Coordinates of all heavy atoms in Angstrom, one line a residue:
G79 N -3.8 17.9 -28.2 CA -4.9 17.6 -29.1 C -5.9 16.6 -28.5 O -7.0 17.0 -28.2
A80 N -5.5 15.4 -28.3 CA -6.4 14.4 -27.7 C -6.8 14.7 -26.3 O -8.0 14.6 -25.9 CB -5.7 13.0 -27.7
F81 N -5.9 15.2 -25.5 CA -6.2 15.5 -24.1 C -7.3 16.6 -24.0 O -8.3 16.4 -23.2 CB -5.0 15.9 -23.3 CG -4.8 15.3 -22.0 CD1 -3.6 14.7 -21.6 CD2 -5.8 15.4 -21.0 CE1 -3.5 14.1 -20.3 CE2 -5.7 14.9 -19.7 CZ -4.5 14.2 -19.4
P82 N -7.1 17.7 -24.6 CA -8.2 18.7 -24.6 C -9.5 18.3 -25.1 O -10.6 18.6 -24.5 CB -7.6 19.9 -25.5 CG -6.2 19.7 -25.4 CD -5.9 18.2 -25.3
L83 N -9.5 17.4 -26.2 CA -10.8 16.9 -26.7 C -11.5 16.0 -25.7 O -12.7 16.1 -25.5 CB -10.6 16.2 -28.0 CG -10.2 17.1 -29.2 CD1 -9.8 16.2 -30.4 CD2 -11.3 18.0 -29.6
L84 N -10.7 15.2 -25.0 CA -11.3 14.3 -24.0 C -11.8 15.1 -22.8 O -12.8 14.8 -22.2 CB -10.2 13.3 -23.5 CG -9.9 12.2 -24.5 CD1 -8.7 11.4 -24.0 CD2 -11.1 11.3 -24.7
G85 N -11.0 16.1 -22.4 CA -11.4 17.0 -21.3 C -12.7 17.8 -21.7 O -13.6 17.9 -20.8
L86 N -12.8 18.2 -22.9 CA -14.0 18.9 -23.3 C -15.2 18.0 -23.3 O -16.3 18.3 -22.8 CB -13.8 19.5 -24.7 CG -14.9 20.4 -25.3 CD1 -15.1 21.7 -24.4 CD2 -14.6 20.8 -26.7
A87 N -15.1 16.7 -23.8 CA -16.1 15.8 -23.8 C -16.6 15.4 -22.4 O -17.8 15.3 -22.1 CB -15.7 14.5 -24.6
L88 N -15.6 15.2 -21.5 CA -15.9 14.9 -20.1 C -16.6 16.0 -19.4 O -17.5 15.7 -18.6 CB -14.6 14.5 -19.4 CG -14.7 13.8 -18.1 CD1 -15.3 12.4 -18.3 CD2 -13.3 13.6 -17.5
G89 N -16.2 17.2 -19.8 CA -16.9 18.4 -19.2 C -18.4 18.4 -19.5 O -19.2 18.9 -18.7
Q90 N -18.7 17.9 -20.7 CA -20.1 17.9 -21.1 C -21.0 16.9 -20.3 O -22.2 17.0 -20.2 CB -20.2 17.6 -22.6 CG -19.6 18.5 -23.5 CD -20.1 20.0 -23.4 OE1 -21.3 20.2 -23.4 NE2 -19.2 20.9 -23.3
L91 N -20.3 15.9 -19.7 CA -21.0 14.9 -18.9 C -21.1 15.3 -17.5 O -21.9 14.7 -16.7 CB -20.2 13.6 -19.0 CG -20.0 13.0 -20.3 CD1 -19.1 11.7 -20.2 CD2 -21.3 12.6 -21.0
M92 N -20.5 16.4 -17.1 CA -20.6 16.9 -15.7 C -22.0 17.5 -15.4 O -22.6 18.1 -16.3 CB -19.5 17.9 -15.4 CG -18.1 17.4 -15.4 SD -17.7 16.3 -13.9 CE -17.8 14.7 -14.7
P93 N -22.5 17.4 -14.2 CA -23.8 18.0 -13.9 C -23.8 19.5 -14.1 O -22.8 20.2 -13.9 CB -24.0 17.7 -12.4 CG -23.1 16.5 -12.1 CD -21.9 16.6 -13.1
A94 N -24.9 20.0 -14.5 CA -25.0 21.4 -14.9 C -24.8 22.3 -13.7 O -24.3 23.5 -13.8 CB -26.4 21.7 -15.5
D95 N -25.0 21.8 -12.4 CA -24.8 22.6 -11.3 C -23.4 22.6 -10.6 O -23.2 23.1 -9.6 CB -25.9 22.3 -10.2 CG -25.7 20.8 -9.7 OD1 -25.1 20.0 -10.4 OD2 -26.3 20.5 -8.7
L96 N -22.5 21.9 -11.3 CA -21.1 21.9 -10.9 C -20.6 23.3 -11.0 O -20.7 24.0 -12.0 CB -20.2 21.0 -11.7 CG -18.8 20.8 -11.3 CD1 -18.8 19.9 -10.0 CD2 -18.0 20.1 -12.3
P97 N -19.9 23.8 -9.9 CA -19.5 25.2 -9.9 C -18.6 25.5 -11.2 O -17.8 24.7 -11.6 CB -18.6 25.3 -8.6 CG -19.2 24.3 -7.7 CD -19.7 23.2 -8.6
L98 N -18.8 26.7 -11.7 CA -18.2 27.1 -13.0 C -16.6 27.0 -12.8 O -15.9 26.6 -13.7 CB -18.6 28.5 -13.4 CG -17.9 29.1 -14.6 CD1 -18.2 28.2 -15.8 CD2 -18.4 30.5 -14.9
A99 N -16.1 27.4 -11.6 CA -14.7 27.4 -11.4 C -14.1 26.0 -11.6 O -13.0 25.8 -12.1 CB -14.3 28.0 -10.1
L100 N -14.8 25.0 -11.0 CA -14.3 23.6 -11.1 C -14.4 23.1 -12.6 O -13.5 22.4 -13.0 CB -15.1 22.7 -10.2 CG -14.9 23.0 -8.7 CD1 -15.8 22.0 -7.9 CD2 -13.4 22.8 -8.3
R101 N -15.5 23.5 -13.2 CA -15.7 23.1 -14.6 C -14.6 23.7 -15.5 O -14.0 23.1 -16.4 CB -17.0 23.6 -15.1 CG -17.5 23.0 -16.5 CD -18.8 23.6 -16.9 NE -19.8 23.2 -16.0 CZ -20.5 22.1 -16.0 NH1 -20.3 21.2 -17.0 NH2 -21.5 21.8 -15.2
T102 N -14.3 25.0 -15.2 CA -13.2 25.7 -15.9 C -11.8 25.0 -15.6 O -11.0 24.9 -16.5 CB -13.1 27.2 -15.5 OG1 -14.4 27.8 -15.9 CG2 -12.0 27.9 -16.2
G103 N -11.7 24.6 -14.3 CA -10.4 24.0 -13.9 C -10.2 22.6 -14.6 O -9.0 22.3 -14.9
L104 N -11.3 21.9 -14.9 CA -11.1 20.6 -15.6 C -10.6 20.9 -17.1 O -9.8 20.2 -17.6 CB -12.4 19.9 -15.6 CG -12.8 19.2 -14.3 CD1 -14.2 18.7 -14.3 CD2 -11.8 18.1 -13.9
L105 N -11.2 21.9 -17.7 CA -10.8 22.3 -19.0 C -9.3 22.8 -19.0 O -8.5 22.4 -19.9 CB -11.7 23.3 -19.6 CG -13.0 22.9 -20.2 CD1 -13.9 24.1 -20.6 CD2 -12.9 21.9 -21.3
F106 N -9.0 23.6 -18.1 CA -7.6 24.1 -17.9 C -6.6 23.0 -17.8 O -5.6 23.0 -18.4 CB -7.6 25.1 -16.8 CG -6.2 25.7 -16.5 CD1 -5.6 26.4 -17.4 CD2 -5.6 25.4 -15.3 CE1 -4.3 26.9 -17.2 CE2 -4.3 25.9 -15.0 CZ -3.7 26.7 -16.0
L107 N -7.0 22.0 -16.9 CA -6.1 20.9 -16.7 C -5.8 20.2 -18.0 O -4.7 19.8 -18.3 CB -6.8 19.9 -15.7 CG -6.4 18.4 -15.7 CD1 -5.0 18.3 -15.2 CD2 -7.4 17.6 -14.9
A108 N -6.8 20.0 -18.9 CA -6.7 19.2 -20.1 C -5.7 19.9 -21.1 O -5.2 19.2 -22.0 CB -8.0 19.0 -20.7
V109 N -5.5 21.2 -21.0 CA -4.7 21.9 -22.0 C -3.3 22.2 -21.5 O -2.6 22.9 -22.2 CB -5.4 23.2 -22.6 CG1 -6.8 22.8 -23.2 CG2 -5.6 24.2 -21.4
L110 N -2.9 21.8 -20.4 CA -1.6 22.1 -19.8 C -0.5 21.2 -20.4 O -0.8 20.1 -21.0 CB -1.6 21.9 -18.3 CG -2.3 23.0 -17.5 CD1 -2.4 22.5 -16.0 CD2 -1.6 24.3 -17.6
P111 N 0.7 21.7 -20.4 CA 1.8 20.8 -20.9 C 2.1 19.7 -19.9 O 1.6 19.6 -18.8 CB 3.0 21.8 -20.9 CG 2.7 22.9 -19.9 CD 1.2 23.0 -20.0
S112 N 3.0 18.8 -20.3 CA 3.4 17.7 -19.5 C 4.3 18.1 -18.4 O 4.9 19.2 -18.4 CB 4.1 16.6 -20.4 OG 4.6 15.5 -19.7

Side-chain angles (χ1 to χ4, degrees):
F81 224 128
L83 290 175
L84 289 171
L86 188 61
L88 197 61
Q90 299 302 313
L91 300 177
M92 291 291 101
D95 61 344
L96 186 71
L98 178 60
L100 293 180
R101 191 184 297 275
T102 301
L104 287 171
L105 282 177
F106 177 62
L107 157 69
V109 301
L110 284 171
S112 178

